[in-house]
Amino acid sequence: MVTAPGPDGPLGDLVLALKELHRSAGKPGVRRISIAIRDRDDLRDTVSHETVGAMLRGSGLPKWVKVECVVRQLADWSVTGLDADQQIRRFHRLWLAADDEPGSPSGPPPAPGSMPAATTPMITNGPPRVRHFTGRTGVLSAIRSALTGSGGSPLSLIGLGGVGKTQLTVEYVHRWAADYDLVWWVPAEQPSQAMAALVALGDQLGLPPAADMRQTLRGVLTALEESALRWLLVYDNADQPSDLGVLMPATGGHVVVTTRNAAWSTAGGSSLPVAVFTREESVVFLREWGVEGSTEDCHAMADQLGDLPLALDQVGAMQTATGIPVREYLRLFAEHFDELLADGRQAGSRTTVTTSVNVAVGRLRAESVAAAQLLELLSFMAPVPVSLALLHRGRDGELSPPLGRALFGTVELERIAAQLGRYGLAQISANGQQLQVHRLVQRVVRDGLPPGQAQQRRLDVHRLLDAADPGSPDDSRTWNQHGEIGPHLIAADTLHAIPHELRQAVLDQIRYLERIGDFGESARLARDAVGAWRSDPALGPEHPFTVRAIRHLANALRALGSYQESHQMIIETLDLLRTSAAYGEEHQDTLATGGVAAFYLRLAGRYNEALDLDRRRVGILRRLYGDHDMRTTLAVTNLGVDLRLVGDAAAALELDTAKGHDEESLLVMARNQAWDLLELGRPGEAVEVQQSRMPRSRRHDDVALAKRAVAVGLRRLGRHQQARAVATEVYRMCQERFGPDHHLTLAAIMTYANTLRVVGDAVGARSLATEAYDRYRRLFGDQNPLTLAAATNLAVVLRALGQWRAAYSMDEVTHEETVRALGAGHPHALVAAMGLATDLAHHHADKDAAALGQATVDGLRRVRGEDHPETLACAVNLARDREPADPEAGRDAVRRLSARLGSDHPEVRAAIAGTRLECDIEPPPT
């Protein structure tokens, strides 16, 4: 839910309590809350979604009956099982305190369209108002009519570069600012820039970020669509409509697109053409700038410049700065213009801009070489605002003098930056700390440089970015700086920088993009880097830059759900490093890549191969670095995971109980111990170990694994409602943080489904189990052990719903394929066999059921042990199949199960009642 800053005092206490209750209910959308209240017969009123949103923002004190409806609905949805009547009494006290507050606003909150602007400060990142804005009254009115009428959204402002589309939109924003609570500027030339801007909006509004930027983006767009805030999004300098369609809210506010691409006129919504100034507007604009001269001279200048706002603005700035007479400027302009025509150029807006820029650049060079070099430098960077801080950070890059020297002094840097503004060659921010060169000006400057000078200036950009690169992309404190230099790395073609050491910033950028969750852009940049560096004679496929780029690419592809491609990429890289004379088995890059390869092998279900690979790695690391090195410790923990996956949880626990060396290793070992203990049938110890060392304020994947272990442990202890609360929390956290296709999300879905089944919600369990099974099949294939485990669990749910034929059909295939994939003695194969035996018994194949049940019990005794809950559950079922022949065996099996789990455990009560017992498979951490 999008919120603005909340009120203080008793009203603030009420709003804070509402927000806490909203979070406890899983943060449902305001429309969902409103619809749920409307559909209930036991509530005294209805509440519009606008009013719900206003309540959560604290925009006035609503009527008590409205608050009561919202509180009761949210309490019913709360995952912690809140008592609705108790919450009503609590909130009524808070509401009375707010109502008694002197000056407290009474009555329902105002409707979004009538909310006074002063109620909440506008949330905005928009640029300052443009100086010397002139005319355009008709276009501004048309924009307003289109946005408030039935023309549809988005509204596209289409026109040639330099006609002032952006400035027009800025002026609109400032004239109608009172009608908006939120105005957000979205640089849209590249989809990655637009995504980053929208994610920044989510951060500004307090929305929780996800590990996947796409997931964060979906949350931001949904929140805007459901928000009661009056908002406007401006997508500035957009290119292709297809690139931005998924980055726009579908409803709820206003969207303006500025673009040179006429395709937006047929992309939906409405569009307006933006043309050059009228002649009268041009003359008034020049006068606003302070241009001196006769009306005839101003008309002549506007005619020479084609009434193009960008050229007029640049000339106005230059004429004001230099005092050059209008007639003299016209003479210089004519000379340069004729030179361009003599070179074969055709007259047009581009030629006009080129001429006006060349006149200004000539004056700038005569006044300051350093300022001219700064303009040239910026012309090879992205056409976005560049901070003086970024330029200053790049001072150690040994740039060409005198600019290189000027970067060391902040006063001198500010002085030469201001010169660009004086001549109209760059836009300077209000505080003088940012400057931006229009893309048309950039092109003119680049095209006007001799090849050698252009090459030198591009090299200066590479050196600047290399020196400004903060490194350490895993450290969130560096992310703002990485984000600032990112667009310039692409614009300056740093992928091909020479010397190649200057390409390190590209590697850091790839990793930074992965860390902030922009996996798509990380993969795109990494793929470009791998392609460029593999074929570069100076680097090649074995160069450390290429190898690291491949690893980063695999990480991003895995996060995007391309598990097979990323897996193959890592395996091929490992083979290359092992056989390379420059690396070999013991090189640190080979060992690091081996650790990633083992993870992929585990994810693919190739558990024995992963075990062999990790055993070799541990042996090498122990010999090279010793037992106490962090690299060795982490490799040993991965070896424990391998052992658990092949079915030897006891050996895994022995490794995982080794003494940790720091907080990081202790947290990892506690998590692994918990999963080992769960596999060994000791859920009470698992919960105790994990809850005693629960990760906090750390990576979300660690938290998800730890809490899922607690949920599984609580369920196996028979504490089903507590398990449901934790499983729900993990499910929602993974969905919001990782997205639907992440392997941790799939595991959380399966755990949640298993939990819903045992609390009696078999219908909900079937929906979730089917989703998990389908996604596992699509992402990992039909024969992957994770897919087969999901199929086993789905069959359990189908039996709970009485769909015996479907369960039997699924179990027959699943058992056979699990045996083929893992072996008949693997715990997963034995659990699948137990389900199949139940199917056989239901279909009166008693002898087959008993034979399979006996083989399964024998297998579980060997693998799990005599007193493992799965062994005992299977023994109870087998005794039922043989009950007429050996009734005492059934009573003995139930007594032993009761001794292990406790007489009040739901499984024990079910066994006593004669119900056949089920076992499921929790997706194992890999």
Side-chain angles (χ1 to χ4, degrees), residues 276 279 282-283 286 295-312 314-315 326-341 346-357 359:
V276 298
R279 181 55 48 82
S282 296
V283 173
L286 290 171
T295 301
E296 291 76 12
D297 287 342
C298 288
H299 271 272
M301 181 177 286
D303 184 62
Q304 288 276 32
L305 300 175
D307 296 302
L308 187 68
L310 173 65
L312 288 162
Q314 189 270 309
V315 171
V326 174
R327 289 183 181 274
E328 175 63 16
Y329 181 86
L330 289 172
R331 185 188 65 79
L332 291 171
F333 185 94
E335 288 179 0
H336 283 275
F337 193 80
D338 290 342
E339 289 175 4
L340 292 174
L341 294 182
Q346 292 186 349
S349 61
R350 178 67 58 79
T351 316
T352 298
V353 173
T354 300
T355 304
S356 63
V357 169
V359 172

Side-chain angles (χ1 to χ4, degrees), residues 425-439:
L425 294 166
Q427 294 289 329
I428 310 297
S429 64
N431 63 3
Q433 295 304 302
Q434 282 188 325
L435 66 167
Q436 181 176 1
V437 180
H438 194 282
R439 67 190 69 260

Side-chain angles (χ1 to χ4, degrees), residues 209-210 393 470-486 508-509 511-517 737:
R393 289 200 308 272
S472 305
D474 289 336
D475 186 344
S476 61
R477 292 170 296 183
T478 69
W479 288 355
N480 286 337
Q481 295 176 35
H482 282 295
E484 188 177 12
I485 71 173
D508 290 341
Q509 184 72 193
R511 178 63 174 171
Y512 151 74
L513 290 167
E514 179 201 332
R515 295 293 290 119
I516 67 170
R737 183 69 185 170

Side-chain angles (χ1 to χ4, degrees), residues 567 570-571 574 591-607 609-615 617 638-639 641-642 645 926:
H567 178 192
I570 287 296
I571 295 299
L574 180 60
L591 293 169
T593 305
V596 179
F599 166 80
Y600 278 108
L601 289 170
R602 289 192 291 271
L603 206 58
R606 295 158 62 178
Y607 300 148
E609 293 177 62
L611 177 61
D612 291 341
L613 176 55
D614 277 331
R615 275 178 171 155
R617 290 180 61 242
N638 288 335
L639 182 58
V641 175
D642 299 327
L645 289 174
T926 53

Side-chain angles (χ1 to χ4, degrees), residues 377-581:
L377 183 89
L378 294 170
S379 296
F380 286 94
M381 298 174 71
V384 299
V386 178
S387 70
L388 298 190
L390 169 60
L391 297 173
H392 185 58
R393 289 200 308 272
R395 62 190 178 277
D396 292 325
E398 299 183 1
L399 277 67
S400 301
L403 176 60
R405 294 192 298 270
L407 297 183
F408 279 86
T410 55
V411 174
E412 175 66 7
L413 183 56
E414 289 176 1
R415 185 186 69 80
I416 63 173
Q419 286 177 286
L420 270 60
R422 286 178 60 237
Y423 282 95
L425 294 166
Q427 294 289 329
I428 310 297
S429 64
N431 63 3
Q433 295 304 302
Q434 282 188 325
L435 66 167
Q436 181 176 1
V437 180
H438 194 282
R439 67 190 69 260
L440 292 182
V441 176
Q442 286 183 314
R443 177 170 293 183
V444 171
V445 173
R446 290 196 307 266
D447 290 347
L449 293 176
Q453 192 173 341
Q455 183 178 357
Q456 180 60 45
R457 209 57 71 230
R458 191 184 296 274
L459 175 59
D460 283 338
V461 176
H462 294 163
R463 288 173 172 171
L464 175 89
L465 297 175
D466 179 68
D469 177 27
S472 305
D474 289 336
D475 186 344
S476 61
R477 292 170 296 183
T478 69
W479 288 355
N480 286 337
Q481 295 176 35
H482 282 295
E484 188 177 12
I485 71 173
H488 309 298
L489 292 169
I490 307 303
D493 192 24
T494 314
L495 275 173
H496 299 95
I498 298 174
H500 62 256
E501 289 80 4
L502 298 178
R503 305 178 193 184
Q504 177 63 48
V506 175
L507 273 177
D508 290 341
Q509 184 72 193
I510 295 168
R511 178 63 174 171
Y512 151 74
L513 290 167
E514 179 201 332
R515 295 293 290 119
I516 67 170
D518 192 353
F519 303 122
E521 186 63 16
S522 177
R524 189 200 64 76
L525 183 56
R527 202 182 289 279
D528 288 347
V530 171
W533 299 346
R534 269 179 172 164
S535 59
D536 189 333
L539 277 71
E542 296 184 16
H543 192 277
F545 278 15
T546 310
V547 171
R548 289 167 193 165
I550 292 172
R551 283 215 303 264
H552 292 333
L553 175 57
N555 288 340
L557 290 173
R558 184 187 73 217
L560 291 168
S562 298
Y563 292 97
Q564 301 295 336
E565 183 182 0
S566 55
H567 178 192
Q568 187 62 31
M569 190 175 296
I570 287 296
I571 295 299
E572 290 176 358
T573 302
L574 180 60
D575 291 341
L576 172 69
L577 297 180
R578 281 174 168 171
T579 58
S580 168

Side-chain angles (χ1 to χ4, degrees), residues 94-115:
L94 292 169
W95 184 88
L96 289 173
D99 190 45
D100 289 341
E101 180 74 2
S104 172
S106 58
S114 61
M115 187 186 301

